[in-house]
């Protein structure tokens, strides 16, 4: 990795920790490898993203939102193929006993090699013959072998093979197995979608890159069911919708790109998969994916459960719908939004300020209410409390430290506007609005505050 990039990302992470976006998980015990907890500011952003996703992917499209469980009947994972096929390829360096993902090693050292075109044996040969030093150590490579990524757990008091089950590695299967329940109870007509937001777990061989790849993460997934003849159309539709969504949240156009999977790369059931990638500090990486999964999942669950998951059309014929799946990882999206927004700006007086140029739609707070000095705090609190009680604006209040320091603090957490209450506000009823990005200030009447922010 480029040293500058490495430094940049370490600065961003340090900033996010200092400001209360992320904390190291179990920190007082020395942490847990590549596991992060979210503080109040990150939670506020995540809540905004989730509610915007629900608005765009569910409400406006008249789709349905469900909430299925993390632990499901083990047969689900047999049917979905996860028990047999959900593996990454692991290779061990026997000199330091470290384990790696074979594809990651190759991508790190030979970025131009199109690994999809090589067999496992060929990849193993490349690693064994060409990589004599890796990760600061001499090498003595073992053989490549598949490693299943599902987290095993046990349900109930008896610990045996029948109590063994898994934490879900994706939320999608909870949707497929509820297809019949939902289409019956809601009398939904094709095409329609079922979505859910929730935690997923993958025992990644090498979790890394901050919150890009972790073992516990959150997904927002939609399965959009339609007839085969419409599937190409909806596949494209949801690709565009997903792209518009991340742009709407504020990601810069030049930092995202669409990548369609080659034939070699497609999972055996997929009729087409496209990723939206983001230019992370370590290079382009998958932010989210859109797949045309065809009839695969419903067919598999019919086969394994013996239940019909067919859809009865108005003309009396039965079909198994196609499923188009836009799948978004919330943590990766949060990461992309935060680094995209992180700016260090040089000021005239040779000073600098750190700004998170987050879009107002996702900023933890839209407005900070600040008395110029403690003397104005009762007036300021009155305005703050009024906005809290009477509007949906996300507001915060701060009176500690100099006004300059407080502006910097709000810049650093991405608050687009500050309202400052000064000496004269009591008499003239005028406050100052400061813009985060331009630092320009304008004055308005207290009575105009609500309208001002409604019209922005
Ligand atoms: P990768 O190739 O990076 O492992 P994937 O292709 O296996 O990802 P999908 O199965 O398509 O990922 O999962 C859908 C989305 O869930 C991804 O686009 C990503 O945003 C998110 N995601 C998947 N695995 C992780 C993880 N370990 N940590 C954080 N987010 C993840």
């Amino acid at each position: 990795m480029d040293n500058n990039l490495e430094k940049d990302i370490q600065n961003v992470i340090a900033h996010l920790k200092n400001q209360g976006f992320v904390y190291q998980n179990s920190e007082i015990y020395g942490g847990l490898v590549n596991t992060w907890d979210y503080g109040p500011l990150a939670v506020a952003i995540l809540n905004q993203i989730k509610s915007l996703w629900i608005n765009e992917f569910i409400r406006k499209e008249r789709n349905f939102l469900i909430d299925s469980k993390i632990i499901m009947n083990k047969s689900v994972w047999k049917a979905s193929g996860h028990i047999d096929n959900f593996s990454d390829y692991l290779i061990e360096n026997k000199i330091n006993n470290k384990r790696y993902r074979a594809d990651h090693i190759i991508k790190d050292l030979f970025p131009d090699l199109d690994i999809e075109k090589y067999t496992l044996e060929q990849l193993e040969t490349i690693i064994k013959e060409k990589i004599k030093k890796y990760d600061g150590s001499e090498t003595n490579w073992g053989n490549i072998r598949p490693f299943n990524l599902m987290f095993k757990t046990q349900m109930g008091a008896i610990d045996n093979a029948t109590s063994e089950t898994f934490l879900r590695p994706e939320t999608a299967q909870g949707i497929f197995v509820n297809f019949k329940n939902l289409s019956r109870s809601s009398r939904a007509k094709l095409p329609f979608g079922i979505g859910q937001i929730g935690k997923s777990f993958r025992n990644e061989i090498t979790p890394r890159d901050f919150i890009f790849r972790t073992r516990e993460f959150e997904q927002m997934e939609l399965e959009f069911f339609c007839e085969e003849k419409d599937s190409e159309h909806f596949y494209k539709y949801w690709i565009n919708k997903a792209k518009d969504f991340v742009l709407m949240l504020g990601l810069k156009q030049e930092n995202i790109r669409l990548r369609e999977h080659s034939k070699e790369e497609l999972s055996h059931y997929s009729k087409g998969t496209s990723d939206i990638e983001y230019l992370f500090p370590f290079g382009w990486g998958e932010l989210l994916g859109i797949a045309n999964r065809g009839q695969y999942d419903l067919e598999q669950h019919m086969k394994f459960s013996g239940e019909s998951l067919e859809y009865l059309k108005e003309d009396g014929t039965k079909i198994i719908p196609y499923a188009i799946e836009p799948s978004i990882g919330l943590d990766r999206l949060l990461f992309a939004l935060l680094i995209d927004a992180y700016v260090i700006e040089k000021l005239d007086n040779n000073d600098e300020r750190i700004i998170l140029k987050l879009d107002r739609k996702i900023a933890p707070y839209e407005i900070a209410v600040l008395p110029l000095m403690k003397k104005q705090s009762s007036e300021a609190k009155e305005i703050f409390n009024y906005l809290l009680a009477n509007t949906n604006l996300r507001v915060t209040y701060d009176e500690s430290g100099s006004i300059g320091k407080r502006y910097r603090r709000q810049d650093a957490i991405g608050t687009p506007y500050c309202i400052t209450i000064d000496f004269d506000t009591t008499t003239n009823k005028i406050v100052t609005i400061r813009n985060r990005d331009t630092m320009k200030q304008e004055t308005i009447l207290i009575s105009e505050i609500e309208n001002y922010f409604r019209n922005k």
Side-chain angles (χ1 to χ4, degrees):
M1 196 188 301
D2 185 316
N3 263 339
N4 267 333
L5 293 179
E6 174 64 21
K7 207 170 103 216
D8 280 355
I9 192 170
Q10 293 313 330
N11 285 344
V12 179
I13 294 172
H15 178 78
L16 296 174
K17 281 184 180 172
N18 281 338
Q19 299 292 336
F21 286 89
V22 291
Y23 310 122
Q24 192 181 14
N25 170 276
S26 314
E27 186 167 283
I28 60 169
Y29 290 102
L32 178 67
V33 64
N34 210 67
T35 308
W36 304 88
D37 291 343
Y38 293 132
L41 299 174
V43 170
I45 299 178
L46 289 168
N47 281 340
Q48 285 304 113
I49 300 174
K50 288 188 235 185
S51 101
L52 290 161
W53 183 85
I54 291 172
N55 206 26
E56 294 300 322
F57 283 71
I58 305 290
R59 198 186 64 85
K60 284 190 189 168
E61 300 283 340
R62 305 195 59 201
N63 289 330
F64 301 88
L65 190 63
I66 65 164
D67 183 42
S68 73
K69 292 290 173 261
I70 286 169
I71 296 179
M72 304 178 71
N73 188 312
K74 200 169 156 182
S75 307
V76 171
W77 308 113
K78 191 72 194 159
S80 66
H82 283 88
I83 289 183
D84 297 322
N85 300 318
F86 193 58
S87 304
D88 278 340
Y89 290 100
L90 177 151
I91 191 160
E92 183 172 349
N93 180 358
K94 291 182 188 156
I95 292 196
N96 61 4
N97 297 321
K98 280 198 181 168
R99 294 167 168 199
Y100 305 94
R101 255 177 77 170
D103 57 325
H104 281 173
I105 297 185
I106 298 217
K107 269 190 198 149
D108 276 352
L109 298 182
F110 311 108
D112 298 330
L113 202 87
D114 187 358
I115 53 176
E116 309 298 336
K117 298 214 163 86
Y118 291 79
T119 64
L120 266 191
E121 289 73 28
Q122 288 170 324
L123 293 180
E124 190 174 299
T125 311
I126 295 177
I127 293 179
K128 285 183 170 167
E129 287 181 357
K130 301 221 159 123
I131 308 177
K132 304 291 182 198
K133 243 187 139 169
Y134 190 71
D135 201 5
S137 161
E138 305 290 312
T139 61
N140 173 18
W141 298 110
N143 294 338
I144 292 187
R145 61 186 172 86
F147 173 78
N148 193 291
L149 296 184
M150 279 203 294
F151 262 95
K152 278 200 194 94
T153 187
Q154 169 215 333
M155 193 142 173
I158 300 165
D159 184 3
N160 62 22
T162 51
S163 67
E164 178 192 282
T165 185
F166 303 95
L167 305 184
R168 67 181 175 199
E170 59 175 35
T171 65
Q173 296 305 323
I175 296 177
F176 292 118
V177 302
N178 275 303
F179 175 76
K180 189 170 157 187
N181 282 334
L182 187 119
S183 43
R184 282 213 178 141
S185 59
S186 66
R187 292 180 303 280
K189 296 256 180 302
L190 281 187
F192 65 87
I194 309 176
Q196 81 166 318
I197 300 177
K199 290 286 174 87
S200 293
F201 301 82
R202 296 183 189 178
N203 202 0
E204 299 277 357
I205 298 168
T206 42
R208 59 181 198 177
D209 298 323
F210 190 42
I211 53 175
F212 179 84
R213 185 178 305 286
T214 52
R215 292 189 170 124
E216 174 178 343
F217 56 98
E218 196 161 17
Q219 295 182 304
M220 306 186 286
E221 296 197 296
L222 177 76
E223 299 300 330
F224 191 79
F225 297 100
C226 63
E227 291 194 41
E228 177 177 2
K229 67 176 169 53
D230 300 325
S231 61
E232 254 316 289
H233 164 76
F234 284 117
Y235 174 56
K236 300 223 167 75
Y237 178 84
W238 287 104
I239 290 175
N240 284 328
K241 183 93 185 183
K243 192 169 116 238
D244 291 345
F245 181 66
V246 297
L247 290 175
M248 178 190 90
L249 298 182
L251 284 189
K252 297 190 189 86
Q253 177 99 47
E254 67 264 28
N255 290 338
I256 64 165
R257 72 176 186 195
L258 189 71
R259 190 179 72 83
E260 179 139 31
H261 287 208
S262 64
K263 283 237 157 56
E264 292 91 6
E265 211 181 335
L266 287 181
S267 3
H268 63 282
Y269 55 83
S270 176
K271 310 247 180 269
T273 299
S274 296
D275 293 340
I276 292 181
E277 299 187 328
Y278 178 78
L279 188 54
F280 287 98
F282 49 82
W284 290 98
E286 173 179 339
L287 184 61
L288 61 95
I290 302 97
N292 178 349
R293 300 177 69 116
Q295 298 167 308
Y296 175 77
D297 303 271
L298 290 180
E299 261 173 5
Q300 287 293 102
H301 288 302
M302 282 178 66
K303 201 153 58 176
F304 280 77
S305 69
E307 293 271 334
S308 166
L309 301 178
E310 289 163 313
Y311 173 85
L312 183 63
K313 293 212 308 184
E314 251 146 39
D315 65 8
T317 53
K318 285 182 177 169
I319 60 160
I320 301 173
Y322 268 51
I324 312 297
E325 175 193 84
S327 170
I328 306 181
L330 259 163
D331 311 73
R332 281 188 194 178
L333 184 53
L334 175 68
F335 186 18
L337 287 162
L338 288 169
I339 44 183
D340 219 52
Y342 183 88
V343 174
I344 300 177
E345 198 176 85
K346 290 256 176 288
L347 299 171
D348 294 341
N349 55 359
N350 259 342
D351 217 359
E352 56 179 34
R353 63 171 185 145
I354 295 177
I355 324 163
L356 282 186
K357 290 196 173 178
L358 293 168
D359 190 282
R360 176 174 161 192
K361 286 192 281 302
I362 58 160
Y365 302 111
E366 298 167 274
I367 302 168
V369 178
L370 315 172
L372 184 62
M373 307 219 276
K374 283 241 170 80
K375 271 183 225 132
Q376 288 90 37
S377 68
S378 74
E379 189 91 33
K381 274 185 188 151
E382 206 176 296
I383 294 174
F384 171 66
N385 285 327
Y386 176 85
L387 293 175
L388 266 190
N390 297 290
T391 72
N392 289 324
L393 292 165
R394 299 186 304 285
V395 281
T396 182
Y397 177 85
D398 187 7
E399 61 175 29
S400 61
S402 75
I403 190 71
K405 282 224 176 79
R406 279 178 281 151
Y407 283 151
R408 292 289 171 277
R409 211 178 287 151
Q410 295 305 325
D411 292 342
I413 65 168
T415 312
Y417 302 99
C418 292
I419 300 180
T420 311
I421 288 80
D422 64 28
F423 315 104
D424 300 325
T425 303
T426 329
T427 44
N428 64 13
K429 305 289 172 208
I430 286 175
V431 295
T432 305
I433 312 261
R434 172 186 179 271
N435 181 303
R436 173 193 69 197
D437 300 339
T438 62
M439 295 197 282
K440 290 225 166 74
Q441 308 202 355
E442 55 184 313
T443 50
I444 63 169
L445 282 169
I446 295 176
S447 55
E448 282 170 6
I449 295 177
E450 259 184 278
N451 252 334
Y452 180 91
F453 287 105
R454 195 171 300 129
N455 297 332
K456 268 275 167 199

